[in-house]
Amino acid sequence: MRSYSFFFLLAILAALLVSCNRLEGGDPPVVPVTADYPPVDPLFREYYDQIGGLEVLGPAISARFPYEGLDCQFTTAALMVHDPQGVDLQRFRLAPIGLQMNLIEPPVAPPDNQNIKYIDGHVIYEKFLPFYEQIGGGLVAGKPLTELHFNPTKRRYEQYFENIGLFIMEQDSTGAVRLLSYGAWYCPHDCTKLPPEAPGNVILSHSTSPEFAIAVSRLSPTFTGFPISDEYLTPDGYREQVFENLVLVADPNQPGGVILRAVPERLGYLPESPVEPQDVKGMIFFPTRVDGKGFHIPAIFSEYIAQHGGQEIAGQPIDQYRLIKNNVFRQCYQNVCLEEHTDVEGSLRVRPSPLGYPYKVLAVLPVYPAPIGQSGDTGQAVPQPSVGDQDSITSFIPSSDLPEGVAPPTPVPQLSIQVWESYPMVGADEYQEINVTVYQNDAPLSGVAPDIYLTLPDNTVRPYRMAITHSDGYSRLVVEPVEAQSGTLVPYEVCVYLVEEQKLCVKESYLIWQAP
C-alpha cells in the first residue's frame, strides 16, 4: 500500500497551494541528515511552534531541503512545506501525506446529535476534538479521511486526516492525544529512523483488492477493519482477502458476488447448544433451530448488525453473550464475533473481534460455500466443515497397522483435542483464556480433566488442572498474567491422559504484546 512517489505527493500539495503546474518532473531531492535528530530549520521554527512544537509534531527527522521552488522539512509526524510565493496563510502548510495511504473511506450519514463535529462526511472523534481545534483544526489537519478505528496491534484509537493522524493509547488513563508518525512513514530518503516500538508508528502494507472494494464500502471499513493481507487464491479457486475483523471471499462463478468466510469456527469458537427463549431485558431472541431454540442477542448487537449488512452478513449466533475479560462481553456469529466494551463510550463501544490476525497464520482451506440462512435437518443454519478437517489445529492418535491374518484387538477409541486461546495476544498484566474441546470418535467426550503446562520466560513450568469437560467436551481455564517483555512468546502444552498410561498432548503458544 505504501507509496514512495514523493513527486506525486508534492504535486498534490502544489495543486492545493497554488496551481497544478508549479511542479514538473525530476528525481526526488536527497535529504541530508545528521546522526542525531536534525534541528528544526529557522525558516519553519515559528510555524512548528505555532502548531505545538516538539510535543505535537515530534522532532525533525530531516534537514530543510528545496524542491522545485518549495522549502520542505520532515518531522516524525508530518512534512512541513514553505511556498515563498504563497500569500499569508498559504505560505506554510503541512503536506497531505494521508492521501498516499489509500485509506479514504466513504462518507457516513450526519449524526442526529448536532453537538458532534461532522466535517466532509466524517465524524471527528469527540476525544480528539479539543486537541484538533487547539492545533488549528482543518487548516492544519486537513479533511478527515476515515472514521475512528481501533488498532489491535498497537492498542490505540486512531483517526486519519489528510495531513496528520491522531491517536490515543487504549491504556492511557490521561487520554493524551498524539500524532501518528506520518513523516517517518512517508519519508523516502535517509531520514532519521524511529525505534520500532515508537507508539505513533504507522504500518500499512496492504490495500483493499478491487475485487472487494465495493463490499468493504457497503459493510463499512470500521466493520471489516483494514486489510492485513493481499488477495490470494484458495485451494478451490476462490479469491480471498483477510481484513482485521473478517475474511472476504469472491466466488469465481458469480462476478461481483462476495461472501464471508466462517472464521469463528475455523479458529475453534465452537457452536454451543441453543436454548429456549426467555424474556431477558435488553436481549432479542434469535431462533436458530426448527424446534424454536436459539440464542439471545443483545439489542445493541442487533442494532450494530443491522447497520452493517444485517444478519445475513454476520450469520446466525453460535454462542451466548458472556463476559470474557474485564468490561468486555462477546458473542460470536457464523462469520464474525462482536464485543461490547462497557467502559468505552461512542462508536467503538461495540466492535468486531480482530479475528483476522489469528486466521492469517492458519493454512488456507477450501471455502465450503453455502447460502446464508439455509436450514438443515439438525436446525443449524449453515453447514460447515467438520472439526476433523482442520488438521492445523487438531491432533489425532494414529492407529497401528496389523500383520495379515492377525485379528484386530478391541478397537482403541480415537481421540482428538482442539486447543485455542481467546486472545492471540495479551498484555503483561492481562489474563489469558485457554479453551479445550476433547473428542472421542468424533463425538464430544465428557468427564475428562485436561492438564496445562505453561512455560514461563525463565523456563520454569506452571502447571494447571482444568475443570472436567462438559457434555459438549469443552473446558476453559483462565491463566494469570505472565510478566514478560512485549514480544515474548509464551508456549504451553495441553495434555489429556488416557487409559493404559497413554496421553495425548498439543503444543500451542500466545504472544505477550504491550503497546508502547
Side-chain angles (χ1 to χ4, degrees), residues 56-59 61 75-79 97 163-165 179-184:
V56 174
L57 292 177
I61 56 174
T75 75
T76 59
L79 172 60
I97 290 176
N163 306 335
I164 60 172
L179 265 60
L180 295 170
S181 300
Y182 271 25

Side-chain angles (χ1 to χ4, degrees), residues 46-58 131 134-135:
E46 182 178 353
Y47 179 65
Y48 176 82
D49 290 341
Q50 176 186 330
I51 294 176
L54 181 65
E55 291 187 1
V56 174
L57 292 177
F131 179 87
Q134 174 188 330
I135 65 175

Side-chain angles (χ1 to χ4, degrees), residues 421 424 426-428 432 434 453-457 460 462 464 479-485 487-493 507-513:
E421 309 94 40
V426 294
Q432 179 59 277
I434 296 176
Y453 304 95
L454 194 81
T455 303
L456 302 176
T460 60
R462 184 189 292 173
Y464 294 90
V479 176
E480 292 89 349
V482 174
E483 294 184 8
Q485 293 182 346
T488 300
L489 202 63
V490 180
Y492 66 91
E493 186 175 32
K507 293 182 179 180
E508 290 290 349
S509 63
Y510 61 90
L511 185 67
I512 300 296
W513 184 264

